[in-house]
Amino acid sequence: WARINVNHPFEYNFVDAAFEKNYLADSRLEQIIDYFTIVAIIISCLGLYALAAFSAEQRTKEIGIRKVLGAKAGKIAVALTGDFIVLIVISIVIAVPLAYFVVNKWLQSFAYRYDLNMSIFIFSSLLTIVIATATVGTQSLRAALANPIKALRNE
């Protein structure tokens, strides 16, 4: 090599290091997406909690009247939570096809193809509904367990 190409020194590298270098950007992107996903879930739960608190505050009189008329706290909490679940299901119906398209397009750029399985989207949708139900349900249950006399006395 020194006789043939004097101006350029011999440089070598290992194949596994070259592959690692190629996928380093994807690895960093994965970490960034993981962090932003966690932050987005926390922010959305806080917003959903605040919206549920606001909704319960606006419906204080209705909750008090229902309680005085004999409604159970669980039924009231389910009624308050149901409004939010409908909105979440609508958002899932919009988000799943969009996410499928984007992720499928991204996966086509890799050498080894991976076919998307719908179980990933079903699991994430169910997890979203569970997290949202827990977030809204705690606030709804708190409003349903409140003393109805205090709510009706202020009106």
Side-chain angles (χ1 to χ4, degrees):
W1 179 261
R3 285 183 299 163
I4 296 172
N5 199 351
V6 181
N7 295 332
H8 298 295
F10 180 71
E11 294 180 13
Y12 66 94
N13 56 15
F14 294 103
V15 174
D16 61 341
F19 280 126
E20 183 179 336
K21 186 177 175 183
N22 287 338
Y23 289 107
L24 185 64
D26 290 329
S27 176
R28 287 184 185 158
L29 179 65
E30 178 189 4
Q31 288 177 344
I32 291 171
I33 288 173
D34 288 345
Y35 292 135
F36 279 115
T37 300
I38 291 169
V39 170
I41 289 172
I42 290 170
I43 290 172
S44 64
C45 284
L46 288 173
L48 197 56
Y49 186 79
L51 190 60
F54 179 72
S55 176
E57 184 71 29
Q58 294 293 320
R59 297 171 76 176
T60 304
K61 187 175 181 182
E62 174 191 345
I63 294 169
I65 292 171
R66 284 182 184 218
K67 234 171 144 184
V68 167
L69 292 176
K72 302 283 185 195
K75 296 276 186 181
I76 295 171
V78 168
L80 292 173
T81 306
D83 299 338
F84 290 99
I85 298 302
V86 170
L87 294 174
I88 291 167
V89 168
I90 290 170
S91 68
I92 288 172
V93 167
I94 293 170
V96 166
L98 183 65
Y100 180 83
F101 175 74
V102 169
V103 171
N104 196 23
K105 198 73 155 164
W106 177 64
L107 287 174
Q108 296 304 316
S109 67
F110 291 99
Y112 295 104
R113 300 286 188 254
Y114 177 77
D115 293 329
L116 285 177
N117 193 351
M118 285 308 291
S119 64
I120 296 170
F121 295 103
I122 293 170
F123 175 73
S124 63
S125 299
L126 291 176
L127 185 63
T128 301
I129 291 172
V130 167
I131 290 172
T133 303
T135 303
V136 174
T138 55
Q139 186 61 34
S140 298
L141 197 59
R142 183 179 296 151
L145 292 174
N147 190 357
I149 303 301
K150 290 181 181 177
L152 296 175
R153 185 181 305 161
N154 292 335
E155 295 296 325

Short mmCIF file of all heavy atoms in Angstrom, two decimals, residues 83-116:
data_model
loop_
_atom_site.label_atom_id
_atom_site.label_comp_id
_atom_site.label_asym_id
_atom_site.label_seq_id
_atom_site.Cartn_x
_atom_site.Cartn_y
_atom_site.Cartn_z
N ASP A 83 -67.90 11.04 29.06
CA ASP A 83 -67.75 12.14 28.09
C ASP A 83 -66.31 12.23 27.56
O ASP A 83 -66.09 12.46 26.37
CB ASP A 83 -68.14 13.47 28.73
CG ASP A 83 -69.58 13.50 29.18
OD1 ASP A 83 -70.39 12.71 28.65
OD2 ASP A 83 -69.91 14.32 30.06
N PHE A 84 -65.36 12.03 28.45
CA PHE A 84 -63.96 12.12 28.05
C PHE A 84 -63.52 10.89 27.25
O PHE A 84 -62.71 11.01 26.33
CB PHE A 84 -63.06 12.29 29.28
CG PHE A 84 -63.21 13.63 29.92
CD1 PHE A 84 -64.00 13.80 31.04
CD2 PHE A 84 -62.56 14.74 29.39
CE1 PHE A 84 -64.15 15.04 31.63
CE2 PHE A 84 -62.70 15.98 29.97
CZ PHE A 84 -63.50 16.13 31.09
N ILE A 85 -64.05 9.74 27.60
CA ILE A 85 -63.67 8.51 26.89
C ILE A 85 -64.11 8.58 25.43
O ILE A 85 -63.38 8.12 24.54
CB ILE A 85 -64.26 7.28 27.60
CG1 ILE A 85 -63.70 7.15 29.01
CG2 ILE A 85 -64.00 6.00 26.81
CD1 ILE A 85 -62.19 7.05 29.09
N VAL A 86 -65.26 9.16 25.16
CA VAL A 86 -65.72 9.31 23.78
C VAL A 86 -64.72 10.16 22.99
O VAL A 86 -64.35 9.81 21.86
CB VAL A 86 -67.14 9.93 23.74
CG1 VAL A 86 -67.52 10.33 22.33
CG2 VAL A 86 -68.15 8.97 24.32
N LEU A 87 -64.27 11.24 23.58
CA LEU A 87 -63.29 12.09 22.89
C LEU A 87 -61.96 11.37 22.68
O LEU A 87 -61.31 11.53 21.63
CB LEU A 87 -63.07 13.37 23.70
CG LEU A 87 -64.27 14.31 23.80
CD1 LEU A 87 -63.96 15.47 24.74
CD2 LEU A 87 -64.65 14.83 22.43
N ILE A 88 -61.57 10.57 23.63
CA ILE A 88 -60.31 9.84 23.51
C ILE A 88 -60.42 8.77 22.41
O ILE A 88 -59.49 8.57 21.64
CB ILE A 88 -59.91 9.24 24.87
CG1 ILE A 88 -59.51 10.39 25.79
CG2 ILE A 88 -58.79 8.23 24.73
CD1 ILE A 88 -59.37 10.03 27.22
N VAL A 89 -61.56 8.11 22.33
CA VAL A 89 -61.75 7.10 21.28
C VAL A 89 -61.72 7.77 19.90
O VAL A 89 -61.13 7.23 18.95
CB VAL A 89 -63.06 6.31 21.51
CG1 VAL A 89 -63.43 5.48 20.30
CG2 VAL A 89 -62.93 5.43 22.74
N ILE A 90 -62.32 8.94 19.78
CA ILE A 90 -62.27 9.68 18.51
C ILE A 90 -60.84 10.02 18.15
O ILE A 90 -60.41 9.89 17.00
CB ILE A 90 -63.16 10.93 18.57
CG1 ILE A 90 -64.63 10.53 18.62
CG2 ILE A 90 -62.90 11.85 17.39
CD1 ILE A 90 -65.58 11.67 18.92
N SER A 91 -60.06 10.46 19.14
CA SER A 91 -58.67 10.80 18.86
C SER A 91 -57.85 9.56 18.49
O SER A 91 -56.95 9.64 17.65
CB SER A 91 -58.04 11.51 20.06
OG SER A 91 -57.91 10.62 21.16
N ILE A 92 -58.17 8.42 19.05
CA ILE A 92 -57.48 7.18 18.69
C ILE A 92 -57.81 6.79 17.26
O ILE A 92 -56.93 6.38 16.49
CB ILE A 92 -57.84 6.06 19.69
CG1 ILE A 92 -57.16 6.31 21.03
CG2 ILE A 92 -57.44 4.69 19.14
CD1 ILE A 92 -57.59 5.37 22.13
N VAL A 93 -59.07 6.96 16.88
CA VAL A 93 -59.48 6.62 15.50
C VAL A 93 -58.75 7.50 14.49
O VAL A 93 -58.41 7.05 13.40
CB VAL A 93 -61.02 6.75 15.36
CG1 VAL A 93 -61.46 6.72 13.92
CG2 VAL A 93 -61.71 5.66 16.16
N ILE A 94 -58.48 8.73 14.86
CA ILE A 94 -57.73 9.62 13.97
C ILE A 94 -56.24 9.30 14.00
O ILE A 94 -55.57 9.30 12.96
CB ILE A 94 -57.98 11.10 14.36
CG1 ILE A 94 -59.44 11.47 14.10
CG2 ILE A 94 -57.04 12.03 13.61
CD1 ILE A 94 -59.84 12.81 14.67
N ALA A 95 -55.69 9.01 15.17
CA ALA A 95 -54.24 8.87 15.33
C ALA A 95 -53.68 7.54 14.82
O ALA A 95 -52.57 7.51 14.29
CB ALA A 95 -53.86 9.04 16.79
N VAL A 96 -54.43 6.45 14.96
CA VAL A 96 -53.88 5.15 14.59
C VAL A 96 -53.56 5.04 13.10
O VAL A 96 -52.45 4.62 12.74
CB VAL A 96 -54.81 4.01 15.09
CG1 VAL A 96 -54.46 2.69 14.43
CG2 VAL A 96 -54.72 3.88 16.59
N PRO A 97 -54.46 5.41 12.18
CA PRO A 97 -54.07 5.32 10.77
C PRO A 97 -52.91 6.25 10.41
O PRO A 97 -52.04 5.88 9.61
CB PRO A 97 -55.34 5.73 10.01
CG PRO A 97 -56.44 5.54 10.96
CD PRO A 97 -55.87 5.76 12.31
N LEU A 98 -52.90 7.43 11.00
CA LEU A 98 -51.80 8.36 10.74
C LEU A 98 -50.47 7.79 11.25
O LEU A 98 -49.46 7.83 10.54
CB LEU A 98 -52.10 9.71 11.41
CG LEU A 98 -51.09 10.82 11.19
CD1 LEU A 98 -51.06 11.21 9.71
CD2 LEU A 98 -51.44 12.02 12.04
N ALA A 99 -50.47 7.24 12.45
CA ALA A 99 -49.26 6.64 13.00
C ALA A 99 -48.82 5.43 12.19
O ALA A 99 -47.63 5.23 11.96
CB ALA A 99 -49.48 6.24 14.46
N TYR A 100 -49.77 4.63 11.75
CA TYR A 100 -49.44 3.47 10.93
C TYR A 100 -48.74 3.90 9.64
O TYR A 100 -47.73 3.32 9.25
CB TYR A 100 -50.70 2.68 10.60
CG TYR A 100 -50.44 1.45 9.77
CD1 TYR A 100 -50.02 0.27 10.37
CD2 TYR A 100 -50.60 1.47 8.39
CE1 TYR A 100 -49.76 -0.86 9.61
CE2 TYR A 100 -50.34 0.35 7.63
CZ TYR A 100 -49.93 -0.81 8.24
OH TYR A 100 -49.66 -1.92 7.48
N PHE A 101 -49.27 4.92 9.00
CA PHE A 101 -48.68 5.40 7.75
C PHE A 101 -47.27 5.93 7.98
O PHE A 101 -46.34 5.60 7.23
CB PHE A 101 -49.57 6.48 7.14
CG PHE A 101 -48.98 7.12 5.92
CD1 PHE A 101 -48.95 6.43 4.71
CD2 PHE A 101 -48.45 8.39 5.97
CE1 PHE A 101 -48.40 7.00 3.59
CE2 PHE A 101 -47.89 8.98 4.85
CZ PHE A 101 -47.87 8.28 3.65
N VAL A 102 -47.08 6.76 9.01
CA VAL A 102 -45.77 7.36 9.26
C VAL A 102 -44.74 6.31 9.65
O VAL A 102 -43.61 6.30 9.13
CB VAL A 102 -45.89 8.46 10.34
CG1 VAL A 102 -44.53 8.93 10.81
CG2 VAL A 102 -46.70 9.63 9.81
N VAL A 103 -45.09 5.41 10.55
CA VAL A 103 -44.14 4.39 11.01
C VAL A 103 -43.82 3.42 9.89
O VAL A 103 -42.67 3.01 9.73
CB VAL A 103 -44.70 3.67 12.25
CG1 VAL A 103 -43.85 2.46 12.61
CG2 VAL A 103 -44.78 4.62 13.42
N ASN A 104 -44.81 3.06 9.10
CA ASN A 104 -44.57 2.16 7.98
C ASN A 104 -43.62 2.79 6.96
O ASN A 104 -42.72 2.14 6.43
CB ASN A 104 -45.89 1.77 7.32
CG ASN A 104 -45.75 0.57 6.43
OD1 ASN A 104 -44.84 -0.23 6.60
ND2 ASN A 104 -46.65 0.44 5.49
N LYS A 105 -43.80 4.07 6.69
CA LYS A 105 -42.92 4.79 5.76
C LYS A 105 -41.49 4.83 6.32
O LYS A 105 -40.52 4.66 5.58
CB LYS A 105 -43.47 6.20 5.57
CG LYS A 105 -42.96 6.90 4.37
CD LYS A 105 -43.58 6.31 3.14
CE LYS A 105 -43.58 7.32 2.05
NZ LYS A 105 -43.81 6.69 0.76
N TRP A 106 -41.36 5.05 7.63
CA TRP A 106 -40.05 5.13 8.26
C TRP A 106 -39.36 3.76 8.24
O TRP A 106 -38.16 3.66 7.99
CB TRP A 106 -40.21 5.63 9.69
CG TRP A 106 -38.94 5.67 10.48
CD1 TRP A 106 -37.84 6.45 10.23
CD2 TRP A 106 -38.63 4.90 11.64
NE1 TRP A 106 -36.88 6.21 11.18
CE2 TRP A 106 -37.34 5.28 12.06
CE3 TRP A 106 -39.33 3.97 12.38
CZ2 TRP A 106 -36.74 4.72 13.17
CZ3 TRP A 106 -38.72 3.42 13.49
CH2 TRP A 106 -37.44 3.79 13.86
N LEU A 107 -40.11 2.69 8.48
CA LEU A 107 -39.52 1.36 8.51
C LEU A 107 -39.06 0.88 7.13
O LEU A 107 -38.20 0.00 7.03
CB LEU A 107 -40.52 0.35 9.08
CG LEU A 107 -40.76 0.44 10.59
CD1 LEU A 107 -41.86 -0.51 11.00
CD2 LEU A 107 -39.49 0.16 11.36
N GLN A 108 -39.61 1.46 6.07
CA GLN A 108 -39.20 1.07 4.73
C GLN A 108 -37.78 1.53 4.40
O GLN A 108 -37.19 1.04 3.45
CB GLN A 108 -40.18 1.62 3.69
CG GLN A 108 -41.57 1.07 3.81
CD GLN A 108 -41.62 -0.44 3.74
OE1 GLN A 108 -40.96 -1.04 2.90
NE2 GLN A 108 -42.38 -1.05 4.62
N SER A 109 -37.22 2.44 5.19
CA SER A 109 -35.87 2.92 4.93
C SER A 109 -34.79 1.98 5.44
O SER A 109 -33.62 2.19 5.18
CB SER A 109 -35.69 4.31 5.55
OG SER A 109 -35.73 4.22 6.96
N PHE A 110 -35.17 0.92 6.18
CA PHE A 110 -34.20 -0.01 6.72
C PHE A 110 -33.97 -1.18 5.77
O PHE A 110 -34.84 -1.53 4.97
CB PHE A 110 -34.66 -0.54 8.08
CG PHE A 110 -34.63 0.50 9.15
CD1 PHE A 110 -35.78 1.16 9.52
CD2 PHE A 110 -33.45 0.84 9.78
CE1 PHE A 110 -35.76 2.12 10.50
CE2 PHE A 110 -33.41 1.80 10.77
CZ PHE A 110 -34.57 2.45 11.13
N ALA A 111 -32.80 -1.79 5.89
CA ALA A 111 -32.46 -2.91 5.03
C ALA A 111 -33.33 -4.14 5.33
O ALA A 111 -33.79 -4.83 4.43
CB ALA A 111 -30.99 -3.27 5.19
N TYR A 112 -33.55 -4.40 6.60
CA TYR A 112 -34.39 -5.52 6.99
C TYR A 112 -35.80 -5.00 7.23
O TYR A 112 -36.02 -4.15 8.09
CB TYR A 112 -33.86 -6.21 8.25
CG TYR A 112 -32.53 -6.85 8.03
CD1 TYR A 112 -31.36 -6.27 8.50
CD2 TYR A 112 -32.44 -8.04 7.34
CE1 TYR A 112 -30.13 -6.86 8.28
CE2 TYR A 112 -31.21 -8.65 7.12
CZ TYR A 112 -30.07 -8.05 7.60
OH TYR A 112 -28.86 -8.63 7.38
N ARG A 113 -36.75 -5.50 6.49
CA ARG A 113 -38.13 -5.02 6.58
C ARG A 113 -38.82 -5.63 7.79
O ARG A 113 -38.60 -6.79 8.14
CB ARG A 113 -38.92 -5.39 5.33
CG ARG A 113 -38.35 -4.82 4.06
CD ARG A 113 -38.65 -3.32 3.98
NE ARG A 113 -38.27 -2.79 2.70
CZ ARG A 113 -37.22 -2.04 2.48
NH1 ARG A 113 -36.42 -1.75 3.46
NH2 ARG A 113 -36.96 -1.57 1.29
N TYR A 114 -39.67 -4.86 8.40
CA TYR A 114 -40.47 -5.31 9.53
C TYR A 114 -41.91 -4.93 9.24
O TYR A 114 -42.23 -3.75 9.05
CB TYR A 114 -39.99 -4.63 10.83
CG TYR A 114 -40.82 -5.01 12.03
CD1 TYR A 114 -40.65 -6.24 12.64
CD2 TYR A 114 -41.77 -4.14 12.55
CE1 TYR A 114 -41.40 -6.59 13.74
CE2 TYR A 114 -42.53 -4.48 13.64
CZ TYR A 114 -42.35 -5.71 14.23
OH TYR A 114 -43.11 -6.06 15.32
N ASP A 115 -42.77 -5.92 9.18
CA ASP A 115 -44.18 -5.65 8.94
C ASP A 115 -44.84 -5.26 10.25
O ASP A 115 -44.67 -5.94 11.27
CB ASP A 115 -44.88 -6.88 8.36
CG ASP A 115 -44.38 -7.20 6.95
OD1 ASP A 115 -44.01 -6.25 6.24
OD2 ASP A 115 -44.37 -8.39 6.59
N LEU A 116 -45.57 -4.17 10.21
CA LEU A 116 -46.25 -3.69 11.42
C LEU A 116 -47.39 -4.63 11.78
O LEU A 116 -48.15 -5.08 10.92
CB LEU A 116 -46.80 -2.29 11.20
CG LEU A 116 -45.78 -1.18 11.22
CD1 LEU A 116 -46.44 0.15 10.91
CD2 LEU A 116 -45.10 -1.10 12.56
#
